[in-house]
Amino acid sequence: WHLFSTPPEGDEGFDQSSILRQQQLANNGRQIREDPIKMSRRSAIMASAASSLLFIAPTIAAAKGANGLILQTAPTSGLRWADAKVGSGDVMQLGSTASIDYSMASTAGRFPSIYSTKNGDTPYRWTLGDGSTIQGIELAILGSAEEGIPPMKPGGIRRVIVPNSLGFVSLIQQSGSVSPASKNKKCLAGNEGSVGPIPPKDAPDGAYQRWYQFYCNPRIPYQPDLVLDLKLYGKRAAR
């Protein structure tokens, strides 16, 4: 279901050539003349890579351009969002139990993709408004009339780019100063003061380490924007 997988049936905006064009523009930024055979081989390699990657480039431009998505920007919070699929049914309210699958990436670093529950882990669950989850996700799900963000409905899939003010910035702040890494228990899911979703520490492929490097590292007080693909489930939370 994530936004860079097989194009949804009947959705012409989600074509592989669009992904490749965005990747070529991001990587090149200028016209390059090469031997046609070499270009054909490169195109084949890029097509193969694009089919396996979740996020094609560590930039906001790539995140908002791929698959033909046009992101809207909330005027006050700065949250950016676009729906790949609009759900149906009743919207969630504060106090409701939310259940999502998500794919997470950063807008910085050489390897922006961080973690996805679609790797086989259970969906992420919490009670809306209980303080356990970053504000950017709750705003994306609950919506805001003042910000012009419609609420998500069950079955919907939404891409959001979360500014650091709505992300994990609270994890590295303690009593107004940056907290030492050795004493910061907030960096582990489930501990007092932590906010999710945080990849499990034993997640494969170094997912937790990548997340920590960007979002709970006291040596990097400025956190890059967070890119999330969210799939919201209804009351019967299931895959």
Side-chain angles (χ1 to χ4, degrees):
W1 58 269
H2 57 64
L3 303 189
F4 292 109
S5 60
T6 302
E9 184 175 338
D11 194 333
E12 297 179 356
F14 287 65
D15 61 282
Q16 195 77 310
S17 62
S18 174
I19 297 175
L20 294 179
R21 285 196 300 271
Q22 291 295 330
Q23 189 172 44
Q24 288 171 328
L25 289 172
N27 290 340
N28 296 336
R30 63 184 185 278
Q31 291 183 342
I32 298 176
R33 297 182 179 178
E34 295 189 44
D35 181 89
I37 296 177
K38 292 183 179 179
M39 289 298 294
S40 298
R41 290 174 178 171
R42 174 177 293 179
S43 298
I45 293 172
M46 289 174 65
S48 176
S51 66
S52 62
L53 290 178
L54 176 59
F55 296 94
I56 62 173
T59 64
I60 292 176
K64 69 182 181 181
N67 286 338
L69 289 177
I70 300 176
L71 276 84
Q72 308 294 321
T73 302
T76 302
S77 67
L79 183 81
R80 304 178 214 195
W81 61 273
D83 285 325
K85 177 183 177 182
V86 176
S88 61
D90 296 333
V91 299
M92 300 258 173
Q93 307 290 336
L94 285 173
S96 299
T97 299
S99 179
I100 60 171
D101 268 321
Y102 70 92
S103 293
M104 176 189 293
S106 173
T107 56
R110 294 180 58 192
F111 304 101
S113 182
I114 295 176
Y115 178 72
S116 175
T117 56
K118 294 300 289 184
N119 292 334
D121 291 333
T122 58
Y124 177 74
R125 294 172 59 91
W126 80 103
T127 300
L128 288 164
D130 67 1
S132 67
T133 299
I134 60 174
Q135 297 178 45
I137 288 181
E138 295 215 332
L139 180 58
I141 290 175
L142 293 171
S144 168
E146 293 78 8
E147 294 270 50
I149 305 172
M152 291 185 70
K153 295 180 179 181
I157 299 174
R158 177 170 288 181
R159 162 156 296 182
V160 293
I161 301 180
V162 180
N164 60 10
S165 59
L166 299 179
F168 295 106
V169 69
S170 65
L171 296 181
I172 62 172
Q173 300 298 322
Q174 184 173 344
S175 301
S177 61
V178 176
S179 59
S182 60
K183 297 181 180 180
N184 194 352
K185 296 182 179 180
K186 297 178 184 180
C187 293
L188 290 176
N191 284 348
E192 183 178 357
S194 70
V195 290
I198 297 175
K201 198 167 185 180
D202 59 353
D205 303 321
Y208 176 82
Q209 288 73 20
R210 287 196 300 278
W211 171 85
Y212 177 91
Q213 179 66 26
F214 289 128
Y215 299 106
C216 212
N217 187 345
R219 298 179 181 177
I220 306 177
Y222 179 82
Q223 297 178 352
D225 290 349
L226 187 69
V227 184
L228 291 161
D229 292 344
L230 308 174
K231 180 175 182 178
L232 178 65
Y233 294 107
K235 293 182 179 180
R236 298 178 181 178
R239 291 190 181 279

